[in-house]
Amino acid sequence: MTMSRRTMLRLSALGAAALAAPLAAPRLARAADPVKVGALFPLSGGAAPQGQHVSQAIEIAAALVNEQGGVLGRPVQILRRDDESTPAVGVSRANELIGEGVAVIIEGWNSPVTLATQTVIARAGVLDITAISKADQILTGGGNPLAIRLNSSNAQDGRIIAEHLKATGAKRLAFLTQNDAYGNGAQAAIEGELKAIGHAYDKVAEERFPFAQADFRVALTNVRGSNADAIVAINANEGSGLPALIRQARQMRLRGELVTAVGTVAPSVIAVAGEAANGIVGADIYFPNVEPFASNPANRTFVRRAEETIRYTPDKFMALGAAALQVWAMAANELKSLEREAIAKRIRGGAFQGTVLGDITFGADGQLASSHHLFTVKDGRIEVRA
Amino acid sequence: MTAVLRVEGLGVRYGALVALDGVSWEVAAGEVLGIIGPNGAGKSSCYDAATHMTRRTGRVWLDGREVTAVPPHGLAALGLKRAFQQNAFFAQLSVLENMVAVLQREGGAGLAASLALPWREARLRRALRAEAAALLEEFGVPREMHELRPGHIPYGSQRMLSIVLAWGRGARVLMLDEPAAGLGGPDMARLRDLLQRLRGRGTGRHRAPHGPHHVGGRPHPGAGAGATPGQRHAARDPAGCAGAGSLSGARGMSAPILEASGLRVVYGGNLALDIPHLALRPGELIGVVGANGAGKSTLVNALLGWSRGAPRVEGRVRLAGQDVSALPPHQRVRRGLALVPEGGAVFMRLTVEENLAAAVPEGGRRGHGLEEVYALFPRLRERLHHLASMLSGGERQMLAIARALRLGPAVLLLDEPSIGLAPRLVTDVLRSVRGLVGPGLSVLLVEQNVRAAIEVVDRLVLLERGRILAEGPVAAMRDDPRILHAYLGEAVA
Amino acid sequence: MNLVQQLINGLIIGHAYALIAIGWTVLLGVARLVNFGHGQMYMLAAFVTWWGVAGLGLPYPLAILLAMAGGVLLGLVMQLTMLRLTFAQDLVSIMIVTLGFGHVMRGLAGLLFGGNPQVLETPLSWIDFEIAGAWVTAQDLLIVVAAIAVFLLLRLVLERGALGRTARMVAEDPKLAQLGGIDVRRVYLAVFAFEGAAVALAAALVAPRTPILTSIGFEEVIITFVVVVLGGIGSIGGSYLAGIGLGLFTALFGGFVSPAYATSAAFGVLILVLVLRPGGLALGAKGGRA
């Protein structure tokens, strides 16, 4: 079939116009186009329940933000991805999210995964907010020069544990430490703070274990033999590892107070550990129904919405995830921009009012400032000490 | 004449069993040395010892240089090559690729050079393929077979292939272990020519044959210490030496105990067997003969619905009047149809005792008791607690037949029982089988060794290229020129 | 004093390992087959036992039988699907097919039982007593007793008598076994059914020791693989010793060096043993016969 040159030219012009149209049309014409936000957490494996909860919290926060008009007039859409608590997988999923054109990635449960992904995300020029991972290198390592971290640092956590140990007069200390960046960093922080506040102690046992371990009897045998006054357990495997450790410690009749690292004991841990959890000591930076959080309207809305939609009272991790989203949305709406550097500079060293955590400030290095509270587990519930 | 290969004081022990004790011999350039002896005398052990494939005492010299400590692959590099009693090749490669692999080993490009200079590698490969093809043709493996897998070429050609693979580019000494085993007339002639040609090339050669009269050479009786001197594998013949053609019990017009109709077997696209009808009557002993590749093994395998490969089998098989075509092999066995397949049908990792004990008849059949079996094959009683892997080829054959008899079959299919047996033993075994045939046991015997088969069978069936060429009572068939022609080949011995 | 307690720990862990590996020992020894869905079968059986106790309210022994029945069923289904591959002794395809089954099982378990960790509570876990300063539960003792009982039974059945002969014949040459009148198909099905039952029993007894998740199973396959290879293919006694050895090593190394590197060290030892003795420990099956 032949066609005249004219028809050919007309068709070509139409074709070219059709192809160019989306590129030429101004962004404003598509205001209903959602802003994509990546949520990268473990959705399977030992930390799956917690990772799921955090992702849900971010979604709840996003829903609340959308009810107030969204970000830059556009709805926020959360894209969940599973990092399987494995650095290589996390990097791969992060690349997927970057490919989807997310404006920001809220990530981080396991520190090794965060350390791996932050470099990749930074190099792609996407904003990266670390919600839960704790290792110090996240801020100091240089992988992400514009790092933002919500969860308390190992140094901050170490202080309150050290103060508690000094208050109870525990001299013989045993450490059960997760063998990775987080665990080793946490233990170093605690020991550093003990020295800083001038409390003399004997490290009578030190057992390291891999994150996925669920049978601690061998290590606990050593700890028992050391006859410690206090046993410091640094185990972020809230799904199965930490509850197993608690149960087995009780079963083996371990003497001495069981002190858990800050932020590791969530209600889900107590549920699996059962009666064995009674009597353990911990500390945290957020409790849904305790002052000053109980009377914070933003928190109350958040807690209520969570109990309605997922029938679960939020824990600290969920609050951090929600706060991460809130802070980002506030900054973006204030600056009227999604640009990474601008928002990061606004958050780092900045202050925000009315988040689920209350009025908060960030240090110049990107670390959220938080206040710690000690608690004991009684009758299967967390009881915050005055 | 200076010796090319000399061995002195070879000794081999397998645990408490002394297989070889103080054996010494030598072979000169251009000479053919034959090593003969009855089963279990230690011939293969002798080769194993000479090529250092087993722990042994004694010393070995090659071309005047002592090579006692050299490992087997080192000996091969020095020119001492050996072909085995069983065929040895890479089943997954084609015939030509097998040959190329051997030649490449002997002087192709190394790995580094292959990676760095791919074009040189390609040129070398082409040259190698041409050389390989020429060698194969010279050794009697025709061009049509070069692209086939070794398992699919006739047995005689497989034998030739094994020999040429061992030969490689050449050897100072070529040791052949029972090269004529399983070869028929035309193949035997080819082998004879080949050996004469190789002899002309000035290499020393050994053979461990059962028939030293086939090829010219100097025989050296194998002096193994395994068998107590004087004792031979005299399988007693309880029923007396029944000559061929004698009838035992009521036969003749009774209904066939085993009947095959329309039996066709397709192997990889080739029609390997096409038998419109074959019947075995109760108390009868039928011999199925034919050259290699005629389809004899295919026939007995198809009767049982069994195979080591995966052929397509069509047709009906009836056992004692019942159609068993749809039954899997083990069910046919339970109904009374037993097969002793070609080339070793015993479990190497079980002892003789266990092999025999495991063969229990089912379905109310009464199998041969252990005492009867020992009477037939006394050697088995001596080796009762030995692992089957430690028996000689002939002893394993006896064990295989014993196992089959223990199953109490009504029909026994024997596939080339004479392979690996000394001629005298072949006669004994076949006579024993003849003696067992009666109203309770009928036998279908596939045999290369027509001469021996003719002595004991009632009827003869001649196969060629998967079809029945001729069949009839042995008295009529034995002088049929078609047998001589089709089976023994053009040059009638 | 610590040493004795770690030894006790090691013995318990070792018997658990041996029990978990017993299915593979028979599978490899008799049928020359592998099953890379082994770990997921363990996980499924653990969850079925948990569901039987927590969901259906069955007494513990009944729940164990339920899990074993499920294991037999699973084993039969897997082998029926793979029969042609088994006959062809196509080991690579069998590896991949069983691995695939494992993934399917994991997904199914996730759907049926969710992603939350569960604790398999049994009455025996609550009975404990002190032995030489170590606290041992009745559940632990049950594991030890059961492991020894199963191994003895297998040794009796498989290494003497008709069943053992049949097993070795099928292992060596299934085609030839057919000619001996053996229904090889039935043997393969029986072997896989045993594997299912054995791994289910192991799960029902050992899983109460730690919380279970639908994502577990990988470590169990690794342990099983090490035990069976170390013990020598097809050797019942060897597997038992390898299991105990691995358990003792885990406890002693973990106790006196560090639990963090116990697995790596165990593999190091495995490599060393195999270099020195390629056949593994290989006791029993082919003892010295004259």
Side-chain angles (χ1 to χ4, degrees), chain C residues 16-87:
Chain C
Y17 285 170
L19 195 57
I20 295 174
I22 193 67
W24 257 58
T25 305
V26 171
L27 204 58
L28 212 52
V30 175
R32 295 284 183 266
L33 293 179
V34 294
N35 174 18
F36 279 94
H38 186 81
Q40 276 70 38
M41 286 172 82
Y42 177 92
M43 174 271 294
L44 263 182
F47 268 94
V48 168
T49 315
W50 164 76
W51 176 64
V53 169
L56 298 178
L58 297 173
Y60 183 45
L62 221 61
I64 298 179
L65 287 176
L66 178 67
M68 285 176 76
V72 168
L73 199 64
L74 205 53
L76 285 175
V77 166
M78 281 176 75
Q79 177 61 333
L80 279 170
T81 319
M82 294 192 317
L83 256 184
R84 203 155 45 95
L85 294 173
T86 307
F87 250 101

Side-chain angles (χ1 to χ4, degrees), chain C residues 13-159:
Chain C
I13 294 174
H15 279 86
Y17 285 170
L19 195 57
I20 295 174
I22 193 67
W24 257 58
T25 305
V26 171
L27 204 58
L28 212 52
V30 175
R32 295 284 183 266
L33 293 179
V34 294
N35 174 18
F36 279 94
H38 186 81
Q40 276 70 38
M41 286 172 82
Y42 177 92
M43 174 271 294
L44 263 182
F47 268 94
V48 168
T49 315
W50 164 76
W51 176 64
V53 169
L56 298 178
L58 297 173
Y60 183 45
L62 221 61
I64 298 179
L65 287 176
L66 178 67
M68 285 176 76
V72 168
L73 199 64
L74 205 53
L76 285 175
V77 166
M78 281 176 75
Q79 177 61 333
L80 279 170
T81 319
M82 294 192 317
L83 256 184
R84 203 155 45 95
L85 294 173
T86 307
F87 250 101
Q89 299 266 285
D90 187 351
L91 219 59
V92 175
S93 296
I94 292 173
M95 274 169 57
I96 295 177
V97 168
T98 52
L99 199 64
F101 262 109
H103 280 283
V104 169
M105 285 191 271
R106 183 145 61 114
L108 220 66
L111 285 174
L112 288 174
F113 301 112
N116 287 334
Q118 306 294 349
V119 176
L120 181 49
E121 301 276 14
T122 72
L124 291 173
S125 308
W126 293 105
I127 306 171
D128 53 4
F129 32 88
E130 210 174 346
I131 297 182
W135 279 97
V136 171
T137 66
Q139 185 79 24
D140 297 335
L141 287 184
L142 178 61
I143 294 172
V144 173
V145 167
I148 295 177
V150 172
F151 269 93
L152 277 180
L153 185 70
L154 270 182
R155 186 129 181 185
L156 223 70
V157 165
L158 280 190
E159 290 190 357

Side-chain angles (χ1 to χ4, degrees), chain B residues 123-488:
Chain B
R123 209 167 8 101
L124 265 167
R125 255 198 104 74
R126 272 199 298 275
L128 275 175
R129 285 177 75 91
E131 187 183 352
L135 258 173
L136 284 170
E137 291 232 42
E138 186 183 344
F139 274 65
V141 182
R143 209 159 270 267
E144 308 84 78
M145 296 188 192
H146 289 187
E147 295 304 325
L148 298 176
R149 297 256 186 98
H152 296 162
I153 66 180
Y155 184 76
S157 311
Q158 288 181 9
R159 223 67 197 97
M160 298 301 199
L161 177 62
S162 300
I163 294 176
V164 68
L165 286 178
W167 170 260
R169 278 224 174 80
R172 294 289 292 140
V173 180
L174 179 64
M175 299 168 76
L176 301 174
D177 198 342
E178 310 236 19
L183 292 188
D187 295 319
M188 191 79 90
R190 267 202 285 272
L191 177 64
R192 191 179 13 203
D193 293 335
L194 172 66
L195 293 179
Q196 295 291 16
R197 269 205 307 274
L198 288 179
R199 178 186 203 170
R201 292 211 199 164
T203 64
R205 226 155 22 266
H206 302 185
R207 295 171 45 250
H210 284 299
H213 53 277
H214 289 299
V215 180
R218 170 170 66 88
H220 178 110
T228 43
Q231 185 171 4
R232 289 290 168 252
H233 324 290
R236 266 175 286 138
D237 187 357
C241 185
S246 68
L247 300 171
S248 45
R251 254 202 308 129
M253 289 309 122
S254 46
I257 186 86
L258 179 67
E259 191 177 9
S261 13
L263 198 60
R264 290 160 59 89
V265 178
V266 177
Y267 236 120
N270 300 324
L271 183 61
L273 192 74
D274 190 1
I275 307 270
H277 184 258
L278 181 68
L280 176 68
R281 310 226 124 69
E284 195 175 27
L285 171 53
I286 287 187
V288 175
V289 297
N292 267 312
K296 308 190 294 299
S297 289
T298 312
L299 171 61
V300 288
N301 286 351
L303 286 173
L304 208 75
W306 181 88
S307 169
R308 289 227 182 254
R312 217 179 64 227
V313 180
E314 303 165 0
R316 306 231 137 273
V317 177
R318 306 181 82 86
L319 177 64
Q322 307 249 334
D323 189 341
V324 296
S325 317
L327 293 183
H330 69 272
Q331 298 243 13
R332 298 191 203 190
V333 171
R334 289 185 191 174
R335 298 251 186 130
L337 179 61
L339 165 67
V340 179
E342 182 183 359
V346 299
F347 292 98
M348 297 295 197
R349 295 203 206 100
L350 269 60
T351 62
V352 169
E353 188 176 23
E354 289 176 319
N355 264 288
L356 290 173
V360 264
E362 299 216 15
R365 323 195 65 82
R366 196 198 80 85
H368 279 67
L370 284 173
E371 283 306 317
E372 296 177 54
V373 158
Y374 295 147
L376 222 49
F377 304 118
R379 210 58 175 152
L380 294 181
R381 197 209 293 270
E382 290 164 32
R383 300 272 213 237
L384 206 52
H385 297 294
H386 292 172
L387 288 178
S389 55
M390 289 168 49
L391 300 180
S392 74
E395 287 162 349
R396 274 187 237 141
Q397 194 64 268
M398 288 191 254
L399 179 58
I401 297 176
R403 273 179 50 90
L405 290 174
R406 294 251 314 143
L407 288 172
V411 176
L412 178 61
L413 309 173
L414 291 172
D415 196 347
E416 312 248 15
S418 71
I419 288 189
L421 299 189
R424 184 200 176 113
L425 193 58
V426 170
T427 329
D428 290 344
V429 167
L430 290 185
R431 286 218 193 110
S432 311
V433 169
R434 171 80 249 178
L436 293 167
V437 169
L441 176 66
S442 323
V443 173
L444 190 137
L445 172 70
V446 163
E447 212 14 275
Q448 265 295 353
N449 191 338
V450 183
R451 235 171 258 151
I454 285 179
E455 299 298 316
V456 294
V457 303
D458 300 319
R459 293 167 59 84
L460 215 54
V461 173
L462 173 63
L463 286 188
E464 185 179 82
R465 283 191 239 273
R467 291 181 163 74
I468 296 182
L469 197 61
E471 76 175 290
V474 67
M477 291 282 291
R478 68 190 307 160
D479 297 319
D480 189 326
R482 282 178 297 178
I483 292 192
L484 298 174
H485 180 86
Y487 179 71
L488 294 173

Side-chain angles (χ1 to χ4, degrees), chain A residues 306-355:
Chain A
E307 284 170 348
E308 279 167 10
T309 49
I310 58 174
R311 263 175 273 285
Y312 184 77
T313 307
D315 53 34
K316 183 268 294 288
F317 309 115
M318 294 173 70
L320 288 175
L325 181 71
Q326 281 189 321
V327 158
W328 167 76
M330 286 180 194
N333 277 333
E334 189 185 296
L335 298 173
K336 295 211 187 333
S337 153
L338 293 173
E339 208 257 304
R340 169 185 177 231
E341 258 195 64
I343 298 187
K345 291 208 165 65
R346 167 67 180 87
I347 297 178
R348 283 159 67 94
F352 294 86
Q353 266 90 24
T355 70

